[in-house]
Amino acid sequence: MERLVRGITFAFVLVAASSLHAADIPALTMVTGGEGEQSYSVSIQILAIMTVLTMLPSFVIMMTSFTRIIVVFAILRQAIGLQQTPSNQILVGLAIFLTLFIMAPVFQEINEVSLQPYLEESIGAEKAISEASGPLKKFMLDQVRVEELVMFNSIAGNDPLDNTQDVSNVDIFVLVPAFMTSELKTAFIIGFSLFIPFLVIDMVVASILMSMGMMMLSPLIISLPFKVMLFVLVDGWVLVMSLLATGFGTI
């Protein structure tokens, strides 16, 4: 089986190489411009684009507001007591579109300073990537906690940071895990706040059932309609959505 896989892979490489040679398409070509910028052949650009597309979900999760939103939604569903309603697909869809809404100003800035100049061929690929990372980096720096940033910076072995130091030049490989940790912490804090009123309802219902001697009746069955009614009466979805949308400070 292993020999068969190796044979198929080798044959695929030969076919791809012969196709490139027959079409006279340079596989690996790099051209240096007059100002020192470097441009690559079409085959390398296609490879880079395909690689970015495969990693795009990870970028959305790690460098945007998606993590906080989906964690808060999951905790909220657990607090209400609805195990499968709304479904995972609905929660992920809400999180994606709310993320696009929150990140719209950041994406707009990336489009203006990076994507459009690159499409107009006024800047190279490396410059476009550098310009695109600026707005994302600023967004993450506005949300990250100094404690997490200092911790990951210390783990990376970089020069120590303090609470008064400007951290705008921090390495992106330090900033992303610090941002993720901060987002998880913030999401759990928000989830704890959402859990309290539903927990109170569960405790009140359990106490009433116990005082009435209904030991065999599950309190969750009785408290669930009251929790759903409370969430609807206070317009819970609007409150949660507005809290998440305004909490990032981009709108």
Side-chain angles (χ1 to χ4, degrees):
M1 185 64 183
E2 183 178 357
R3 291 182 179 179
L4 178 61
V5 173
R6 289 182 180 178
I8 294 175
T9 304
F10 183 68
F12 177 78
V13 172
L14 286 179
V15 172
S18 62
S19 300
L20 290 174
H21 178 71
D24 292 330
I25 299 177
L28 299 174
T29 303
M30 181 178 64
V31 179
T32 303
E35 298 181 357
E37 71 277 5
Q38 295 176 341
S39 60
Y40 301 90
S41 62
V42 177
S43 57
I44 297 181
Q45 295 181 19
I46 293 176
L47 178 62
I49 292 174
M50 296 301 295
T51 304
V52 170
L53 288 178
T54 57
M55 300 177 63
L56 186 60
S58 299
F59 291 153
V60 171
I61 292 174
M62 293 186 299
M63 304 174 69
T64 65
S65 59
F66 180 83
T67 300
R68 183 190 302 185
I69 296 171
I70 193 63
V71 172
V72 169
F73 283 167
I75 295 177
L76 176 62
R77 183 175 65 178
Q78 186 70 25
I80 297 176
L82 300 172
Q83 301 299 324
Q84 300 296 330
T85 304
S87 64
N88 292 332
Q89 291 84 353
I90 294 176
L91 292 184
V92 171
L94 285 173
I96 289 176
F97 280 97
L98 189 57
T99 299
L100 294 176
F101 177 75
I102 294 172
M103 301 294 296
V106 180
F107 293 153
Q108 180 66 28
E109 185 177 355
I110 293 175
N111 179 64
E112 293 176 356
V113 302
S114 175
L115 181 58
Q116 292 303 322
Y118 177 72
L119 294 178
E120 296 171 358
E121 298 183 354
S122 59
I123 60 174
E126 294 182 358
K127 181 67 174 177
I129 294 175
S130 176
E131 292 293 335
S133 64
L136 278 177
K137 194 173 180 180
K138 181 179 182 300
F139 169 78
M140 289 188 288
L141 282 173
D142 291 338
Q143 308 301 323
V144 71
R145 287 181 169 83
V146 179
E147 296 80 5
E148 281 79 5
L149 196 59
V150 170
M151 180 190 68
F152 281 100
N153 185 76
S154 176
I155 294 174
N158 298 331
D159 295 334
L161 300 174
D162 54 55
N163 294 337
T164 61
Q165 184 177 357
D166 183 18
V167 294
S168 59
N169 295 323
V170 68
D171 191 359
I172 189 68
F173 295 103
V174 174
L175 178 58
V176 171
F179 171 75
M180 286 290 294
T181 307
S182 298
E183 287 297 283
L184 288 175
K185 183 177 181 179
T186 304
F188 274 78
I189 293 174
I190 297 175
F192 173 78
S193 302
L194 294 174
F195 225 109
I196 295 301
F198 301 112
L199 180 61
V200 171
I201 294 178
D202 286 334
M203 294 175 62
V204 170
V205 171
S207 299
I208 294 175
L209 292 178
M210 186 175 295
S211 63
M212 296 175 63
M214 298 181 179
M215 304 296 184
M216 303 302 295
L217 184 61
S218 174
L220 296 179
I221 299 177
I222 306 300
S223 63
L224 180 58
F226 292 100
K227 291 190 289 186
V228 173
M229 182 181 65
L230 172 65
F231 192 70
V232 172
L233 289 177
V234 300
D235 210 355
W237 285 114
V238 174
L239 293 176
V240 173
M241 295 284 190
S242 61
L243 173 65
L244 292 172
T246 58
F248 290 92
T250 59
I251 306 302

